[in-house]
Amino acid sequence: MENEKFEPKIVAFVCNWCTYTGADLAGTSRLKQQTNARLIRVPCTGRIDPVFIIKAFEKGADGVLVSGCHPNDCHYNTGNFHARRRWIFFRQLLDFVGIDSSRLYFSWVSASEGKKWVDVVDGVINSVREKGPFNGYKKLNKEIEIPVK
Amino acid sequence: MRIGVFICHCGENIGRTVDCPSVASACANFSGVVHAEDYKYMCSDPGQNLIKQAIKEKNLDAVVVGSCSPHMHEKTFRKACSDAGINPFLVEMANLREHCSWIHDDVPSATRKAIDLVRMLVEKVKFNEPLIPIRVPVTKRALVIGGGISGIQASLDIANAGYEVVLVEKEPSIGGHMSQLSETFPTLDCSQCILTPRMVEVYQHPRIKLVSYSEVENVEGFIGNFSVTIRKKARSVKDELCTGCGLCVQKCPIKKVALSDFDEGLATRPAMYVPFPQAVPNIPVIDRSVCTYFKTGKCQLCKKVCGREAIDFEQQDQLIKEDVGAIIVATGYKLYTIDKKPDESMIKGYGEYGYGKFKDVVDGLQFERIASASGPTSGEMLRPSDKTTPKKIVFIQCVGSRDESKGFSYCSKICCMYTAKHAMLYKHKVHDGEAYVFYMDIRAGGKNYDEFVRRAIEEDGVKYIRGRVSKIYEENGKLIVKGEDTLAGVRVEIDADMVVLATAMIAQNDSVKLAQTLSVSYDKYGFFNESHPKLKPVETSTGGIFLAGACNAPRDIPDSVSMASAAAAKALVLFGSDVLEREPVVAKVNEATCAGCFYCQKVCAYNAIEQKEIKDRQGNVIKVVAYVNSGLCQGCGTCNATCPSKSVELLGFKDDQIYAQINSFAEVF
């Protein structure tokens, strides 16, 4: 296992209207990207509970990406603003609970930004690849003596 | 739960990079999956029958289809499964095409990803619940935004089908850019002659409510049930009293105080004005920024001459509310302005062409006004600087369009045709004149279009030069146009009397603001996005809002008119039923655990959360909980993420369902 090339695992929470559609556009335009991201479609970034992100790290994600509509362009008017406010606090909490907050990425990708989506995804994957695997959660579990599965 | 997994090859689209049979066999081993198979075209009739048959034979109660984007075929597969007796909300789609096969080359890793994507949705579907669509009534009235030819066509079509239309126009008169044109290609018939009867028809139509000099301020609600706030700008004239006699305009002493927008700055207008003689409605407007009364408190001449007492200097902007079921956006375009007017957009412009510096360098619409019988020169071909007839005229195509360095990589589509038209109009009026056209390519796709361009070249002797112009400068009263002829491989220099720039069609200044008001998406140029470039060209991503004309992309008159009729037809389809079924993806409160903190109410953008009293048998209120009005809820789920006790959940995207996806994303990788 140790000798195998490290391939980061990325979970991306994307909103249905902008980023998911932007990722669709990247597909329709055949814009190649790396295979490491797994998208989870939610209606709006406002739907994303911060605990989802912790859960993703717990389940082995090396990086998490959250992407939605640009400010003012939210399909639900204000959902992305609520999301943004949440992240501002949540980022600090992440470090507090022992998860390297630099492994959490945010972006705004609209439905017409297929190219930007590719840049964002590849950027996140490359950046996480440089950081290496995320072991923080396992370490944390050891510290508080929860048996690692 | 008995889950069936169906993997589509999409011909070769998925099958080329994803090993579909092995995805299917891997999925067959997932817990809960009792049936897994792959097929060439899952969305085809035989493909759908395959699913239906498996549902019946294997007694399936949930289905995961691994194929294209759910935006493409979710409805198709939900319908197929519901025909076979499964609740449509127990069907999930894994996006193996747009999010996998089309964006990856490596077969093994794409296949691994495909298996992961399907597994995540297999896990999710285990927590799906049967949902029943919400039925809402339809308001059978339409709002049309923009009174150009597209808006006029859409309004007339809907009104003639028997439904009411509210037509909102930002300018004092409807007519749009088409009313400014002299003649139209490819028939050279007079633009006003074909347009003005339609404008009058709109005005006289019993079912069309024309709200001119107004803008859409706010839009609330959803398909079938929009509530629109319109700002009626203060005209300073009571439109219900004005008869349009025009006496006030004649008597206004501030004659040449402002440049006429209608004449594209080539003529002036008084402080009190109607944009053009055939304006509909023919009600004047006071331009308060230049009117003597508003500046000094004196004059009031217009008020004195008005026999109907229609002048109202105290008039304020009015906000009116309209309830409609469908909205058609037909806000049109504007021309790429170089430095004629201060431009908010970050356009660097073509300084080398001297537009704004040399009076005789004009844009396409200005040339239309010069050529138009109703224009400042009454149709005589006179150049703006000294009002003489230009003997040599140069037309330059693709000014702005197809120029990445100016920020517009698209083709404006109409310029090849209108330049040919301009050159012909010029040659028909100045028989001994010489007309040159600099072009990059001639794009004359359309019925009788290429023939039209050939006519300009062959019959009217317009000289076409393939190449770009590098510089224009003035010398001895002539405009020296320097360019190159790439076909002959020589440099060209023409001492022209006048230059016409075929500037790009770009989105209106406020298009992004309107897109945000309407919650429709827009592209990087500010044009509104259609829902699907081929199959849903007039729909937007927001239900009940349709597009017509050049607000979507550069488009000529015939295309705009057909698109407007298409948008009208879409609105009429909506009006064809009394109730509408909406996706039941709405929030729901668990009243037993709700603590009544109402954080959800604070974050809800739709006022969909109400307070509900829970009473005991004696009728005493024991607690107050949140209650979701599912008619108003749009299903964003912000309340769900906000609720501290997890008492409000978004159906279809409940916590369980999303955690199931997170928990299962990394088993193989």
Side-chain angles (χ1 to χ4, degrees):
Chain A
M1 274 299 272
E2 296 295 312
N3 300 331
E4 258 180 52
K5 201 174 144 237
F6 167 61
E7 277 303 323
K9 305 181 192 76
I10 311 291
V11 174
F13 294 96
V14 298
C15 82
N16 180 41
W17 301 96
C18 289
T19 305
Y20 194 91
T21 317
D24 274 359
L25 179 66
T28 329
S29 324
R30 314 293 200 275
L31 300 174
K32 301 296 175 209
Q33 48 197 276
Q34 300 173 62
T35 54
N36 307 51
R38 302 289 179 265
L39 269 62
I40 294 179
R41 178 167 72 123
V42 288
C44 178
T45 44
R47 169 68 188 90
I48 301 168
D49 190 322
V51 186
F52 292 170
I53 294 166
I54 299 186
K55 194 75 180 172
F57 281 118
E58 184 201 331
K59 288 292 166 184
D62 299 303
V64 173
L65 168 63
V66 173
S67 184
C69 306
H70 285 266
N72 287 324
D73 290 357
C74 178
H75 184 81
Y76 301 105
N77 303 343
T78 57
N80 56 357
F81 288 130
H82 290 295
R84 185 166 68 177
R85 273 190 214 173
R86 242 175 249 150
W87 311 140
I88 292 168
F89 288 104
F90 178 61
R91 210 179 245 285
Q92 299 166 11
L93 279 173
L94 260 188
D95 282 323
F96 180 74
V97 299
I99 295 171
D100 175 10
S101 65
S102 72
R103 290 175 182 271
L104 175 58
Y105 299 81
F106 300 107
S107 69
W108 314 118
V109 174
S110 81
S112 59
E113 293 176 327
K115 180 74 184 68
K116 184 179 175 190
W117 171 247
V118 177
D119 294 343
V120 166
V121 169
D122 280 343
V124 169
I125 295 171
N126 292 339
S127 146
V128 174
R129 185 174 283 124
E130 263 175 39
K131 288 181 205 296
F134 172 65
N135 297 319
Y137 216 95
K138 286 174 201 149
K139 262 192 235 160
L140 203 69
N141 280 351
K142 264 183 203 157
E143 271 172 36
I144 51 177
E145 291 171 345
I146 292 176
V148 181
K149 278 175 198 167
Chain B
M1 193 171 243
R2 299 176 62 82
I3 302 168
V5 174
F6 301 87
I7 307 294
C8 176
H9 293 238
C10 193
E12 286 230 305
N13 282 310
I14 297 172
R16 196 182 293 125
T17 20
V18 171
D19 181 358
C20 298
S22 58
V23 173
S25 57
C27 295
N29 296 326
F30 296 159
S31 84
V33 175
V34 295
H35 178 86
E37 65 180 313
D38 58 299
Y39 184 68
K40 203 97 185 152
Y41 293 103
M42 220 36 118
C43 60
S44 67
D45 239 17
Q48 292 187 36
N49 286 334
L50 212 81
I51 300 177
K52 290 180 195 170
Q53 216 178 335
I55 291 173
K56 282 178 188 142
E57 282 174 6
K58 302 278 175 81
N59 201 16
L60 304 179
D61 46 21
V63 165
V64 175
V65 185
S67 57
C68 49
S69 168
H71 290 164
M72 181 84 199
H73 271 317
E74 193 171 59
K75 275 194 183 137
T76 315
F77 292 119
R78 280 184 172 171
K79 168 87 176 43
C81 293
S82 116
D83 288 350
I86 287 188
N87 182 284
F89 295 90
L90 288 163
V91 178
E92 287 288 345
M93 280 183 75
N95 191 341
L96 304 189
R97 195 177 71 175
E98 282 85 345
H99 290 188
C100 192
S101 70
W102 273 351
I103 55 170
H104 303 313
D105 290 322
D106 179 44
V107 176
S109 58
T111 306
R112 276 203 302 279
K113 178 171 175 179
I115 295 170
D116 280 355
L117 293 177
V118 177
R119 187 185 45 244
M120 286 162 77
L121 286 158
V122 166
E123 292 304 318
K124 180 186 181 191
V125 85
K126 290 179 185 169
F127 292 91
N128 281 20
E129 303 169 318
L131 301 174
I132 294 154
I134 299 165
R135 292 161 68 84
V136 284
V138 177
T139 310
K140 297 185 181 184
R141 280 178 103 215
L143 169 77
V144 177
I145 309 173
I149 183 61
S150 307
I152 289 172
Q153 181 68 35
S155 303
L156 286 174
D157 283 347
I158 296 173
N160 287 336
Y163 299 99
E164 274 182 49
V165 177
V166 181
L167 173 58
V168 176
E169 167 60 48
K170 159 170 92 166
E171 302 292 333
S173 166
I174 57 170
H177 283 308
M178 188 175 168
S179 62
Q180 295 176 286
L181 307 184
S182 53
E183 259 111 89
T184 53
F185 60 78
T187 46
L188 291 186
D189 46 359
C190 152
S191 181
Q192 291 244 353
C193 314
I194 52 178
L195 177 67
T196 41
R198 299 231 157 171
M199 291 162 61
V200 174
E201 203 184 330
V202 163
Y203 193 57
Q204 292 174 342
H205 206 293
R207 283 185 291 275
I208 298 180
K209 179 176 174 186
L210 173 59
V211 196
S212 63
Y213 206 46
S214 305
E215 286 180 54
V216 171
E217 184 103 341
N218 191 28
V219 174
E220 281 170 6
F222 50 91
I223 180 169
N225 298 274
F226 293 105
S227 169
V228 184
T229 311
I230 301 164
R231 174 176 294 272
K232 209 165 175 240
K233 295 180 275 190
R235 249 193 151 98
S236 312
V237 176
K238 290 178 185 157
D239 45 8
E240 68 279 10
L241 293 179
C242 176
T243 58
C245 69
L247 203 57
C248 52
V249 177
Q250 282 171 28
K251 295 290 180 193
C252 178
I254 314 295
K255 282 279 181 267
K256 293 182 173 175
V257 69
L259 293 177
S260 157
D261 282 336
F262 183 74
D263 281 326
E264 290 292 322
L266 294 173
T268 52
R269 59 160 172 81
M272 179 141 218
Y273 70 102
V274 279
F276 54 102
Q278 300 82 0
V280 170
N282 193 9
I283 300 170
V285 177
I286 295 180
D287 181 348
R288 291 187 176 185
S289 65
V290 291
C291 169
T292 314
Y293 174 76
F294 283 97
K295 284 163 90 177
T296 65
K298 285 176 195 140
C299 187
Q300 298 204 10
L301 210 57
C302 47
K303 193 169 184 173
K304 281 168 206 150
V305 295
C306 182
R308 302 270 301 162
E309 295 182 353
I311 312 289
D312 179 5
F313 294 116
E314 271 75 55
Q315 204 176 52
Q316 299 287 320
D317 286 6
Q318 251 182 307
L319 292 180
I320 36 180
K321 286 234 177 222
E322 294 287 352
D323 290 326
V324 295
I327 298 177
I328 293 177
V329 190
T331 50
Y333 69 99
K334 65 169 202 157
L335 273 194
Y336 167 80
T337 48
I338 301 158
D339 45 14
K340 182 172 58 172
K341 294 170 201 161
D343 210 313
E344 290 156 21
S345 50
M346 291 180 295
I347 296 167
K348 276 179 256 153
Y350 284 83
E352 64 270 34
Y353 290 173
Y355 184 87
K357 193 161 99 191
F358 308 133
K359 273 190 166 177
D360 295 327
V361 179
V362 299
D363 69 20
L365 275 177
Q366 288 178 317
F367 187 83
E368 294 286 349
R369 296 312 301 149
I370 293 172
S372 170
S374 69
T377 59
S378 305
E380 243 187 288
M381 202 54 75
L382 303 174
R383 64 181 196 171
S385 65
D386 54 5
K387 307 277 183 275
T388 56
T389 304
K391 292 290 176 197
K392 243 186 215 180
I393 187 161
V394 170
F395 296 91
I396 305 174
Q397 292 194 178
C398 297
V399 177
S401 323
R402 303 177 64 195
D403 193 341
E404 194 82 62
S405 67
K406 298 289 183 283
F408 304 98
S409 40
Y410 59 85
C411 165
S412 287
K413 205 177 172 188
I414 63 164
C415 323
C416 287
M417 292 306 294
Y418 83 62
T419 300
K421 175 189 77 180
H422 285 171
M424 280 165 98
L425 292 178
Y426 169 78
K427 290 289 281 185
H428 293 174
K429 286 184 174 166
V430 187
H431 300 295
D432 57 341
E434 285 176 56
Y436 297 88
V437 176
F438 282 91
Y439 70 100
M440 278 159 61
D441 297 289
I442 296 297
R443 297 184 166 178
K447 192 173 180 178
N448 291 327
Y449 280 15
D450 202 56
E451 294 92 317
F452 184 78
V453 178
R454 298 248 48 106
R455 230 170 84 200
I457 300 169
E458 287 160 13
E459 287 177 27
D460 292 319
V462 179
K463 297 188 180 76
Y464 271 69
I465 302 169
R466 189 175 196 276
R468 298 290 288 165
V469 170
S470 60
K471 195 177 180 166
I472 297 173
Y473 59 93
E474 220 169 12
E475 204 173 82
N476 304 327
K478 293 273 188 187
L479 292 164
I480 311 295
V481 179
K482 289 190 128 176
E484 72 170 330
D485 183 339
T486 54
L487 294 181
V490 292
R491 271 187 281 178
V492 187
E493 195 174 304
I494 299 166
D495 52 336
D497 299 308
M498 190 169 160
V499 175
V500 182
L501 308 178
T503 45
M505 284 170 100
I506 61 172
Q508 296 274 16
N509 279 343
D510 50 359
S511 71
V512 170
K513 192 171 152 243
L514 182 64
Q516 289 169 349
T517 308
L518 295 166
S519 289
V520 303
S521 66
Y522 53 91
D523 65 16
K524 64 174 173 179
Y525 307 110
F527 289 113
F528 303 130
N529 276 346
E530 64 278 13
S531 184
H532 187 280
K534 275 155 285 202
L535 300 177
K536 290 182 172 179
V538 297
E539 289 96 329
T540 64
S541 54
T542 303
I545 301 185
F546 309 105
L547 302 175
C551 63
N552 168 239
R555 196 160 269 128
D556 61 14
I557 296 167
D559 282 1
S560 296
V561 170
S562 26
M563 191 174 179
S565 288
K570 289 287 173 189
L572 293 173
V573 169
L574 192 62
F575 298 164
S577 45
D578 295 325
V579 283
L580 202 72
E581 287 201 341
R582 264 189 57 214
E583 273 206 7
V585 179
V586 290
K588 198 181 165 192
V589 176
N590 180 348
E591 290 174 2
T593 57
C594 174
C597 69
F598 295 108
Y599 286 155
C600 51
Q601 202 175 29
K602 289 184 189 125
V603 297
C604 181
Y606 301 98
N607 299 322
I609 295 181
E610 295 160 11
Q611 303 198 353
K612 180 182 172 186
E613 292 179 342
I614 307 278
K615 291 176 183 168
D616 65 7
R617 285 184 196 168
Q618 279 78 41
N620 304 316
V621 177
I622 44 176
K623 71 169 181 173
V624 184
V625 295
Y627 170 78
V628 178
N629 179 336
S630 53
L632 293 174
C633 177
Q634 297 299 298
C636 66
T638 304
C639 53
N640 191 348
T642 306
C643 180
S645 62
K646 300 291 153 221
S647 300
V648 53
E649 288 211 290
L650 179 64
L651 303 179
F653 292 93
K654 301 196 330 183
D655 280 356
D656 288 349
Q657 291 168 300
I658 294 172
Y659 282 127
Q661 282 178 276
I662 301 172
N663 288 342
S664 60
F665 85 91
E667 272 171 42
V668 179
F669 224 91

